[in-house]
């Protein structure tokens, strides 16, 4: 098979490539896509790429980078995960969420795992995200982590590993939904060659989980999405989710708490609110308990949750499980709370509070990735192999001063996927954020997730707030498995429809055959 | 002075609140003014009255403090809270067994009391002072002796002067100005004890300050603060008076520092507010 | 029965409606004055400008001279004052932006592109005269009104937009007519006012009074069917409130605003068209007060917002 100059060659010694097992040799599941792309030249690719961008702009899909609204670049080559790979991944994610749920319940309850020395108490009590106000607030359906984003990477040997746990306010699912919509509109023909799990079930699942978490005895709970407002970078997602779930999008000033009951201010008077899917961080949520200068929060909200008249999702205080230092203990938490071996490994990590680890890392700083324990959005991360000497020297001093504030990880070469850059398809590093919903009874993992691409060559930090891009993520439905569960709309092969009808001489591409899109 | 086996029956009346420049449209508040039921004190009666009237709700917070919450939505120009309680206090056995100073530094113990060993906003002290501490008060094997020595040193360096500080004053600030009230002396003591590895916590409550008052005589008392330290068990000590804790002390709440146990905190929407001050009247009735 | 929309959104829609109407009507009034000034080069420009500022509620001290330049700077192009034409357009845009999710995308695009074109239009006006800018604003307001009627459901969203538009129109019609009371000799004549209200053709078709001031005043205040007549706007506002009341669950609470509006309607119904001119000052004041009172009543009934509550920690001082 010939690969034209459209694809820039991969170097398997550098990283595991998702598409090519060796230069010019596509992996079986990507064969069809590579065949199609072979026939495109740079202009064709550019045209498709621009088309995708336009679809996004028209729908107003942007995010705010440095105060400016930008389109979030979607790359046209999807990232594919086989059914078997997905089975392993989703089981690992479910296990992880269950362990973190048990951990949070314990830490805000009896603290058994602390008494038993599984996790140092000081780690918890000194964490700025440990929310003492959350003690005594137990969610009705026992789900604290209604929505989670467990970030996954694939290492040089092709194994999936957990990079980071995000259990506070993980964002990005709106891109998953919009990416799929844009791909089916602009590149629909690709779908006819694959059976891809749809992603449009997410809002319905989320709504169901939120309703299930309502205070006991409420027959028809009112659910709202609480947003900080139009200036928030993820505002677009708040609007989309509220719309797709068919619930009201509210700001802090729309809600008022009176004697521990939460109400929404409407033109027809105050209406009770029972579940709040909040996209506001703990510190800004309630000026009575936390920052009194917060104008986006709702005074008295925490006490209302405590009085069980309202459910806050995700629960207060989840941030103590987001701590990157805590991340290094999660395999032990899985063993302790679930009595199981972890299905997904961490990236090898080192706690710099431990003298031996600190010494090893300081000696070989250029080999490690150093992350602040309480960072987000990729800020503050230093990638040893890519940092200059000055940065490393400064970092050594910082680490000596505050070792507990950092962890170090072996620099993993994240897997790569061909991405459209400079009129070519060149390998770029990716990670994956799958989204999981916990309704108290089961943890459902959205088949797909957000594959984030680091657009600069060789860059390893893949994050939307650092100028990255994304890819549509396809989880293949396995034909050999049991029939797809009710409610899941699997794409059927469009073989019978693949003859393009010609209308007035123009050829129309066959779109996805069966499944309706559900929403608008 | 209280003698072993003695007890006291105290009636407490504590009034506090806020007055607004203009009006407040609405406010949300939490009061931590209800004495705890403990082996050393029995709460016979406790009532919180709020003016203007508001529906009250109660819960126990992380530190097990009894918290009463209430919110107001009608315009008002002042908020007054009255806490009344009748408490029977018992004096404790002064011969407290104690672990050695060395055993305080065992990893398991350090882990268990991590929260009471870590500095907080109001209990941070500069290393210069901590170094000075080690010079003047070399730790002894007997924890009680060490604590006494620290308190003697604190009382030597910081004088009790009413109104000399703010509710937000830190131990470092107090040390620098060499003056403070009971809250400050407590914070300073806690900062120093923690630096020596002695887990310490802040206790807020009341003190019937006139031991010679007769039964039925109302004494203007104090909203008071003192220290509890761990020595195998939690033991109280009053750095302001340099004394132990007796039947004239009533415990309301315990935490890492004042910020965990403010008697009345809240937020409101309206003109500038200032505190109504605090009036505490204690009557020994038995 | 409607569940009621968020008060915050309702208030944003109401003000969007008001500001678009304000931009439109202010542009009409200013246009009438500029027309008047152009027609009479020997007239007292200063007096005419003063009365223009006065009727727009921005009275200027009599000792300060005003000319056309001032009118343009302060009443037309000022971006910060929401009572200036440009300021009103920007205010409408800002309100709509925060309610973007409940208006149609076409309505939003209309306001957004209007805002974006202001600079270009201004430069054009500096070349060919302010009339083009004023017409631009009126045309875009008309477009917005048309899109409001055609691209969103006539439910709460629409009622609040139209309610805002109507109350503003009542107020602005009163101001337009007030120009005949203040310094009448320096103000546009009755026919010019009629034209400014876009009423010329309708008036001529139904009237027999020619250019009789009483008939013109009666048309602009009392006519039941002309959209810019005060009475008609009162009717529209009342209908919106009726629909809102019927849709809601709060029928037990008396809707004050309806009462205010109906009282004004009744007063107008009982006025004698033949003695309208002598009653004019009283009627115009009634209209402005009605608009203001209804605004307050609607705000407290439907919106009752303590906007962006700023919390203070108690005892901070």
């Amino acid at each position: 098979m010939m690969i034209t100059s459209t694809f820039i060659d991969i170097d398997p010694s550098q990283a595991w490539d998702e598409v090519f097992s060796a230069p010019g040799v596509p992996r079986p599941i990507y064969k069809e896509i590579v065949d199609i792309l072979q026939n495109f030249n740079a202009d064709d690719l550019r045209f498709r790429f621009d088309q995708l961008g336009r679809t996004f702009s028209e729908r107003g899909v942007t995010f705010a980078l440095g105060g400016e609204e930008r389109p979030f670049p979607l790359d046209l080559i999807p990232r594919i995960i086989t059914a078997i790979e997905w089975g392993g991944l989703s089981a690992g994610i479910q296990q992880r969420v269950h362990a973190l749920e048990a951990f949070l319940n314990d830490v805000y309850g009896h603290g058994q795992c602390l008494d038993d020395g599984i996790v140092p108490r000081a780690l918890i009590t000194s964490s700025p995200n440990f929310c003492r106000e959350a003690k005594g607030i137990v969610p009705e359906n026992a789900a604290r982590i209604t929505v989670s984003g467990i970030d996954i990477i694939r290492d040089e040997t092709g194994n999936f590993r957990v990079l980071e746990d995000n259990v506070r306010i993980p964002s990005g699912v709106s891109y998953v939904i919009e990416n799929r919509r844009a791909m089916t509109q602009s590149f629909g023909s690709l779908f006819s060659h694959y059976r891809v799990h749809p992603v449009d079930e997410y809002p319905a699942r989320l709504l169901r989980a939120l309703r299930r978490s309502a205070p006991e005895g409420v027959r028809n709970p009112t659910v709202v999405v609480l947003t900080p407002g139009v200036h928030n970078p993820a505002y677009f997602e708040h609007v989309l989710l509220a719309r797709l779930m068919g619930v009201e999008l509210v700001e802090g000033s729309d809600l008022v708490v009176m004697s521990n009951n939460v109400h929404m201010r409407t033109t027809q008077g105050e209406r009770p609110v029972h579940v709040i899917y909040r996209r506001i961080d703990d510190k800004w949520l309630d000026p009575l308990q936390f920052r009194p200068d917060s104008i986006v929060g709702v005074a008295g909200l925490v006490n209302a949750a405590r009085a069980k008249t309202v459910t806050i999702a995700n629960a207060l205080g989840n941030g103590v499980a987001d701590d990157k230092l805590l991340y290094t203990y999660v395999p032990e938490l899985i063993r302790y709370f679930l009595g199981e071996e972890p299905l997904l490994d961490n990236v090898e990590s080192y706690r710099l509070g431990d003298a031996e680890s600190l010494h090893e890392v300081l000696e070989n700083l250029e080999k490690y990735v150093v992350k602040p324990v309480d960072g987000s959005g990729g800020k503050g991360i230093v990638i040893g192999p890519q940092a200059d000497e000055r940065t490393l020297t400064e970092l050594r001093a910082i680490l000596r001063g505050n070792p507990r504030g950092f962890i170090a990880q072996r620099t993993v070469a994240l897997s790569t996927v061909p991405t459209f850059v400079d009129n070519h398809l060149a390998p770029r590093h990716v990670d994956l954020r799958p989204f999981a919903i916990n309704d108290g009874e089961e943890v459902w993992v959205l088949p797909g997730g957000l594959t984030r691409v680091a657009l600069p060559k060789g860059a390893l930090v893949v994050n939307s707030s650092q100028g990255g891009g994304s890819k549509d993520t396809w989880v293949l439905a396995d034909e050999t498995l049991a029939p797809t569960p009710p409610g899941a709309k699997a794409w059927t092969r469009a073989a019978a429809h693949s003859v393009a009808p010609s209308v007035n001489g123009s050829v129309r591409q066959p779109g996805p055959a069966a499944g309706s899109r559900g929403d608008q | 002075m209280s003698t072993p086996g003695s007890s006291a029956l105290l009636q407490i009346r504590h009034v506090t609140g806020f007055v607004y420049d203009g009006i407040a449209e609405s406010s949300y508040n939490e009061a931590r003014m209800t004495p705890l039921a403990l082996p050393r004190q029995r709460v016979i009666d406790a009532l919180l009255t709020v003016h203007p009237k508001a529906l009250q709700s109660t819960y126990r917070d992380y530190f097990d403090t009894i918290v009463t919450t209430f919110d107001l939505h009608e315009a008002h120009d002042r908020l007054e809270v009255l806490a009344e309680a009748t408490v029977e206090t018992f004096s404790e056995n002064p011969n407290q067994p104690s672990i050695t100073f060395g055993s305080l530094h065992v990893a398991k113990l350090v882990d268990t009391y991590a929260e009471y060993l870590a500095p907080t906003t109001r209990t941070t002290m500069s290393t210069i002072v901590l170094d000075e501490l080690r010079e003047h008060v070399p730790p002894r094997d007997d924890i009680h002796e060490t604590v006494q020595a620290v308190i003697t040193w604190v009382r030597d360096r910081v004088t009790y002067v009413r109104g000399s500080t703010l509710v937000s004053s830190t131990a470092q600030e107090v040390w620098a100005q060499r003056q403070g009230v009971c809250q400050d002396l407590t914070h300073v003591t806690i900062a120093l004890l923690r630096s020596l590895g002695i887990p310490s916590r802040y206790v807020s409550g009341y003190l019937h300050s006139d031991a010679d008052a007769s039964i039925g005589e109302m004494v203007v008392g104090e909203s008071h603060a003192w220290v509890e330290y761990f020595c195998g068990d939690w033991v109280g000590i009053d750095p302001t008076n340099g004394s132990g804790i007796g039947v004239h002390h009533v415990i309301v709440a315990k935490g890492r520092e004042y910020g965990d146990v403010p008697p009345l905190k809240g937020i409101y929407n309206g003109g500038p507010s200032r505190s109504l001050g605090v009036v505490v009247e204690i009557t020994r009735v038995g | 029965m409607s569940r009621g929309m968020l008060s915050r959104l309702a208030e944003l829609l109401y003000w969007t409606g008001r500001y678009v109407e304000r931009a439109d009507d202010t542009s009409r009034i200013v246009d009438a004055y500029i027309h008047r000034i152009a027609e009479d080069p020997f007239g007292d420009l200063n007096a005419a400008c003063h009365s223009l500022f006065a009727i727009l509620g921005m009275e200027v001290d009599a000792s300060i001279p005003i000319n056309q330049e001032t009118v343009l700077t302060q009443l037309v192009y000022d971006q910060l004052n929401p009572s200036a034409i440009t300021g009103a357009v920007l205010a409408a845009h800002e309100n709509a932006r925060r309610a973007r999710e409940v208006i149609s995308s076409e309505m939003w695009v209309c306001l957004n592109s209007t805002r974006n074109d202001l600079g270009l239009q201004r430069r054009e006006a500096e070349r060919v005269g302010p009339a083009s800018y004023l017409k631009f604003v009126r045309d875009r307001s008309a477009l917005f009104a048309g899109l409001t009627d055609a691209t969103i459901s006539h439910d709460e969203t629409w009622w609040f937009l139209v309610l805002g538009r109507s109350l503003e129109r009542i107020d602005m019609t009163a101001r337009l007519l007030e120009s005949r009371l203040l310094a009448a000799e320096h103000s546009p004549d009755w026919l010019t006012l009629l034209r400014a209200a876009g009423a010329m053709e309708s008036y001529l078709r139904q009237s027999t009074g020619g250019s009789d001031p009483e008939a013109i005043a009666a048309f602009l205040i009392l006519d039941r069917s002309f959209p810019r007549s005060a009475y008609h706007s009162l009717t529209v506002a009342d209908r919106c409130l009726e629909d809102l009341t019927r849709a809601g669950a709060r029928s037990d609470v008396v809707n004050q605003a309806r009462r205010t509006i109906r009282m004004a309607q009744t007063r107008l119904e009982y006025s004698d068209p033949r003695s309208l001119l002598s009653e004019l000052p009283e009627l115009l004041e009634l209209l402005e007060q009605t608009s203001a009172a209804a605004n307050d009543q609607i705000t407290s009934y439907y919106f009752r917002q303590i906007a962006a509550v700023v919390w203070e920690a108690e005892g901070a001082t």
Side-chain angles (χ1 to χ4, degrees):
Chain A
M1 146 158 349
M2 278 194 313
I3 301 293
T4 66
S5 61
T6 310
F7 285 96
I8 288 189
D9 275 343
I10 58 149
D11 179 356
S13 68
Q14 288 298 309
W16 204 89
D17 189 85
E18 300 277 337
V19 177
F20 293 102
S21 53
V25 182
R27 298 180 196 277
I29 51 165
Y30 283 96
K31 188 177 174 311
E32 319 229 21
I33 286 190
V34 170
D35 280 347
I36 291 172
L37 289 172
Q38 292 255 79
N39 299 320
F40 283 25
N41 61 31
D43 286 333
D44 295 327
L45 291 174
R46 170 132 300 277
F47 174 74
R48 295 281 185 178
F49 187 76
D50 289 343
Q51 212 180 7
L52 278 178
R54 231 191 339 272
T55 322
F56 267 23
S57 293
E58 276 161 17
R59 286 182 51 76
V61 182
T62 62
F63 75 103
L65 180 65
E68 246 181 71
E69 278 198 32
R70 302 249 194 100
F72 190 46
L74 166 64
D75 187 78
L76 35 75
I77 299 166
R79 184 258 189 91
I80 305 178
I81 299 176
T82 67
I84 293 181
E85 280 178 328
W86 183 252
L89 254 185
S90 59
I93 289 167
Q94 287 166 330
Q95 182 192 54
R96 196 125 176 150
V97 172
H98 280 129
L100 291 173
E101 280 277 0
F103 168 72
L104 286 170
N105 221 41
D106 190 35
V107 148
Y108 288 112
H110 298 295
Q112 199 62 49
C113 70
L114 302 179
D115 291 342
D116 291 344
I118 306 299
V119 174
R121 189 179 305 266
L123 192 167
I124 304 301
T125 58
S126 67
S127 165
N129 296 308
F130 180 53
C131 183
R132 289 169 179 81
E133 292 79 0
K135 179 123 194 239
I137 301 182
V138 183
E140 199 60 51
N141 62 343
R144 292 173 185 268
I145 312 172
T146 305
V147 180
S148 55
I150 308 293
D151 290 351
I152 304 284
I153 58 150
R154 208 200 285 258
D155 67 18
E156 302 89 344
T157 61
N159 286 321
F160 285 119
R161 289 172 181 267
V162 175
L163 180 66
E164 190 175 286
D165 302 297
N166 294 288
V167 297
R168 271 184 281 181
I169 314 176
S171 71
V173 76
S174 55
Y175 296 121
V176 175
I177 295 171
E178 291 294 332
N179 285 357
R180 180 60 55 87
R181 187 197 305 271
M183 284 289 281
T184 52
Q185 271 183 15
S186 314
F187 230 173
S189 55
L190 278 186
F191 285 92
S192 58
H193 300 271
Y194 293 89
R195 262 184 103 199
V196 182
H197 269 294
V199 296
D200 53 11
E201 217 184 313
Y202 184 87
R205 288 263 185 175
L206 178 57
L207 180 62
R208 194 151 65 229
L210 291 170
R211 289 174 67 92
R212 284 209 186 138
S213 73
E216 200 186 317
V218 179
R219 306 265 311 285
N220 190 16
T222 299
V223 176
V224 300
V225 177
L226 175 61
T227 176
V230 295
H231 300 291
N232 186 274
Y235 183 68
F236 167 77
E237 181 159 307
H238 310 161
V239 170
L240 183 70
L241 288 175
R243 207 190 302 146
L244 293 178
M245 288 195 287
V247 303
E248 207 78 56
L249 178 69
V250 303
E251 296 179 7
S253 58
D254 295 321
L255 300 180
V256 63
V257 178
M258 294 192 290
S259 302
N260 286 340
N261 285 291
V262 183
H263 300 273
M264 200 174 5
R265 294 188 218 255
T266 76
T267 54
Q268 303 299 340
E270 270 98 33
R271 206 161 98 219
V273 170
H274 306 105
V275 183
I276 300 177
Y277 176 44
R278 50 77 171 234
R279 297 296 297 238
I280 297 181
D281 212 56
D282 285 1
K283 289 276 176 291
W284 300 95
L285 199 55
D286 183 343
L288 175 62
Q289 301 298 346
F290 310 116
R291 294 184 62 136
D293 60 343
S294 169
I295 56 170
V296 297
V298 183
L301 187 60
V302 172
N303 285 337
R306 192 191 308 281
K308 288 182 152 9
T309 58
V310 76
T311 300
I312 298 175
N314 288 355
L316 273 179
N318 283 3
V320 77
D322 254 0
D323 186 314
K324 292 191 181 37
L325 187 51
L326 196 278
Y327 158 87
T328 65
Y329 288 93
V330 176
E332 278 126 87
L333 295 179
I334 293 173
R335 291 180 192 107
Y336 177 80
F337 285 110
L338 306 180
E340 297 167 7
E341 279 304 301
L343 296 169
L344 286 171
D345 289 325
N346 276 8
V347 171
E348 289 111 332
S349 306
Y350 304 91
R351 300 170 194 152
L352 298 183
D354 169 58
E356 222 178 282
S357 301
L358 179 64
H359 178 80
E360 154 66 23
V361 168
L362 287 177
E363 289 292 299
N364 300 288
L365 199 51
E366 68 285 351
K367 293 205 188 111
Y368 292 93
V369 174
V370 175
K371 299 183 177 181
V373 158
D374 193 36
S376 69
K379 283 201 291 275
I381 295 181
V382 176
I383 299 176
Q386 295 176 351
D388 60 33
E389 193 49 51
R390 211 185 100 199
T391 311
L392 292 178
T393 312
E394 281 172 9
L395 183 59
R396 270 190 205 95
I398 294 173
L399 294 179
R400 283 200 189 89
N402 178 23
R404 185 256 178 252
F406 296 86
I407 60 163
Q409 295 180 319
R410 182 177 73 76
T411 308
V412 174
L414 311 186
S415 59
T416 54
V417 181
T419 304
F420 186 60
V421 282
D422 304 327
N423 291 329
H424 286 110
L425 294 173
R428 289 291 183 269
H429 295 289
V430 298
D431 74 358
L432 175 68
R433 173 175 287 187
F435 292 90
I437 295 175
N438 182 7
D439 69 359
E441 274 174 28
E442 65 153 337
V443 175
W444 175 79
V445 189
L446 172 70
L450 188 63
T451 291
R452 299 178 296 191
V453 192
L455 292 175
K457 182 173 180 199
L460 290 173
V461 177
V462 290
N463 199 290
S464 58
S465 57
Q466 308 258 309
S470 70
K471 289 176 171 294
D472 194 13
T473 310
W474 294 2
V475 169
L476 300 181
D478 191 340
E479 292 172 297
T480 65
L481 291 177
T484 45
K489 305 181 198 77
W491 301 105
T492 57
R493 283 191 180 264
H497 303 264
S498 58
V499 175
S502 168
V503 178
N504 295 339
S506 67
V507 176
R508 282 163 59 227
Q509 295 283 9
S516 72
R517 294 299 298 156
D519 50 59
Q520 68 268 37
Chain B
M1 295 289 285
S2 50
T3 51
S6 75
S7 68
L9 189 60
L10 301 166
Q11 253 176 15
I12 301 148
R13 198 168 176 280
H14 176 184
V15 181
T16 187
F18 303 104
V19 64
Y20 305 101
D21 207 349
I23 52 151
E25 302 276 353
S26 59
S27 74
Y28 291 81
N29 308 278
E30 290 194 332
R32 286 168 170 79
M33 292 161 70
T34 306
L36 288 170
L38 297 166
R40 56 94 59 198
Q41 66 185 44
R42 185 164 76 98
V43 179
I44 293 161
D45 197 11
L47 179 68
L48 202 77
T49 314
V50 174
H51 183 81
K53 274 188 71 170
L55 207 61
Q56 294 177 21
S57 180
T58 324
Y59 73 93
R60 292 274 196 159
D61 72 8
Y62 179 87
F63 297 101
D64 224 25
T65 306
I66 299 168
V67 185
T68 304
T69 73
F70 54 94
D71 42 274
L72 302 163
H73 301 278
E74 304 282 333
H76 55 286
D77 62 4
R78 65 197 281 131
L79 167 66
E80 223 174 74
V81 180
L82 164 65
E84 294 164 293
T86 307
V87 181
E88 188 178 4
T89 55
F90 308 99
S91 82
E92 289 166 302
N93 188 339
N95 300 317
Q96 304 282 1
S98 160
I99 58 179
T100 63
F101 185 78
S103 20
L104 282 178
H105 301 97
V106 164
K108 180 80 179 125
L109 196 147
V110 170
D111 180 80
T112 306
Y113 297 105
E115 274 185 304
Y116 298 105
L117 287 167
T120 66
T121 315
R122 289 179 179 81
T123 57
T124 318
M125 193 66 97
S126 78
T127 40
I128 301 171
V129 180
L130 297 179
D131 289 341
E132 227 188 299
L133 169 70
R134 286 192 182 263
E135 272 174 58
H136 279 89
V137 188
R140 297 141 216 225
D141 214 39
D142 185 306
I143 298 176
H144 300 299
E145 281 180 24
T146 308
V147 172
Q148 279 294 351
V150 168
I151 286 186
T152 306
W153 193 52
V154 169
R155 298 188 74 224
D156 187 53
R157 294 302 202 91
V158 183
T159 327
Y160 180 90
V161 175
R162 269 188 214 279
S164 55
T165 53
L166 304 168
V167 86
S168 58
S169 295
T170 65
Q172 182 58 50
E173 285 162 2
V174 169
W175 189 263
Q177 71 178 46
R178 304 195 60 161
Q179 290 178 342
V181 297
C182 56
Q183 170 183 320
D184 307 303
L185 289 163
T186 302
H187 283 144
V188 167
T189 307
I190 289 173
L192 299 178
L193 292 181
R194 283 179 184 164
S195 75
L196 295 176
I198 302 174
S200 317
R201 62 192 181 192
Y202 181 102
V203 182
S204 85
Y206 305 107
L207 175 65
H208 182 292
S209 49
D210 188 351
D212 299 324
S214 37
I215 304 285
E217 186 187 332
M218 190 268 283
V219 170
V220 171
E222 291 168 11
S223 207
H224 198 43
W226 60 92
V227 177
E228 275 187 6
Y229 61 93
F230 185 78
C231 56
D233 213 343
W234 287 97
V235 170
I237 191 157
D238 191 332
T240 310
N241 304 323
S243 70
I245 305 303
V247 296
H248 291 94
H249 288 86
V250 176
I251 297 175
V252 169
K254 307 181 187 188
R256 296 167 297 172
E257 55 141 77
Y258 173 84
D260 290 335
V261 296
L264 183 62
K265 79 166 185 186
I267 52 164
Y268 71 99
N269 161 247
S273 87
R274 75 197 140 72
S275 176
L276 271 180
V278 173
V279 172
V280 176
E281 293 162 352
I282 307 186
T283 309
R284 184 165 180 175
V285 293
Chain C
M1 214 186 302
S2 138
R3 292 183 316 168
M5 69 183 316
L6 286 174
S7 298
R8 172 176 51 90
L9 292 176
E11 193 171 17
L12 289 167
L13 292 170
Y14 172 82
W15 280 99
T16 302
R18 287 201 70 146
Y19 282 125
V20 172
E21 185 66 22
R22 184 175 300 183
D24 185 356
D25 293 346
T26 308
S27 149
R28 289 168 187 275
I29 295 177
V30 170
D31 199 42
Y33 267 80
I34 289 179
H35 208 75
R36 165 82 180 85
I37 289 163
E39 278 178 345
D40 188 1
F42 302 108
D44 188 341
L45 175 66
N46 189 45
C49 291
H50 269 280
S51 69
L52 174 57
F53 270 80
I55 62 173
L56 290 178
M58 291 186 266
E59 189 145 359
V60 177
D61 191 87
S63 59
I64 300 174
I66 317 177
N67 58 16
Q68 179 150 319
E69 203 48 50
T70 324
V71 168
L72 293 180
T73 316
Q74 295 194 12
L75 299 181
V76 179
Y77 297 125
D78 187 310
Q79 295 185 358
L80 298 176
N81 183 356
S83 291
I85 293 168
T86 304
V89 170
L90 293 176
H93 175 268
E94 185 53 31
N95 277 277
R97 186 177 69 88
R98 289 158 58 203
R100 194 164 151 185
E101 298 311 315
V102 293
I103 59 175
S104 72
S105 51
E106 286 172 88
M107 288 164 72
W108 168 248
V109 167
C110 168
L111 287 178
N112 205 25
S113 62
T114 304
R115 184 197 72 149
N116 293 342
D117 291 345
L118 287 173
L120 187 72
Q121 289 292 331
R122 178 171 176 172
R123 285 192 288 285
E124 181 73 8
E126 267 151 22
R127 217 167 48 83
V128 303
S132 69
Y133 190 87
L134 298 175
K135 182 167 191 311
F136 164 73
V137 170
R138 286 198 305 278
D139 287 348
R140 285 304 174 88
S141 303
L143 176 59
F144 184 76
L147 290 171
T148 300
D149 284 350
T151 62
I152 52 171
S153 298
H154 288 210
D155 58 12
E156 264 187 312
T157 317
W158 190 82
W159 293 328
F160 280 107
L161 276 160
V162 173
L163 190 55
R165 178 208 296 170
S166 305
L167 288 184
E168 187 71 22
R169 190 171 284 179
I170 293 163
D171 178 79
M172 294 302 282
T173 300
R175 292 179 194 271
L176 182 76
L177 293 169
E178 214 179 306
S179 63
R180 294 310 305 163
L181 297 179
L182 287 178
E185 66 274 23
H186 305 299
S187 308
D189 58 78
W190 284 105
L191 285 178
T192 306
L193 293 185
L194 207 52
R195 228 180 273 121
M200 182 64 86
E201 289 74 23
S202 300
Y203 170 77
L204 291 175
R205 211 173 55 243
Q206 63 82 64
S207 85
T208 51
S211 60
D212 170 24
E214 218 122 39
I216 293 175
F219 185 75
L220 290 175
I221 296 175
L222 304 176
D223 193 80
R224 302 299 193 256
S225 45
F226 182 70
R228 279 216 149 69
S229 97
Y231 189 90
H232 181 92
S233 300
L234 285 167
T235 309
V236 172
D238 185 53
R239 213 175 293 143
C240 287
L241 288 171
E242 182 186 346
D243 288 334
L244 279 167
T245 310
R246 206 171 347 108
R250 301 168 70 196
S251 50
D252 56 314
V253 183
V254 174
N255 193 328
Q256 298 265 5
R258 281 197 84 186
R259 202 143 40 114
T260 304
I261 287 170
R262 286 186 151 175
M263 274 166 51
Q265 279 179 307
T266 308
R267 175 67 189 83
L268 292 184
E269 279 161 22
Y270 283 104
S271 66
D272 184 354
R274 288 164 303 172
S275 57
L276 207 55
L277 283 183
S278 59
E279 292 179 353
L280 198 61
E282 181 214 331
L283 292 177
L284 295 187
E285 192 175 337
L286 169 70
L287 290 174
E288 285 176 26
Q289 281 174 352
T290 299
S291 174
N295 177 74
D296 292 344
Q297 286 152 353
I298 286 164
T299 301
S300 78
Y301 188 83
Y302 289 110
F303 309 149
R304 287 179 299 124
Q305 285 286 14
I306 310 170
V309 181
V310 177
W311 296 104
E312 301 287 343
E314 283 177 326
T317 42

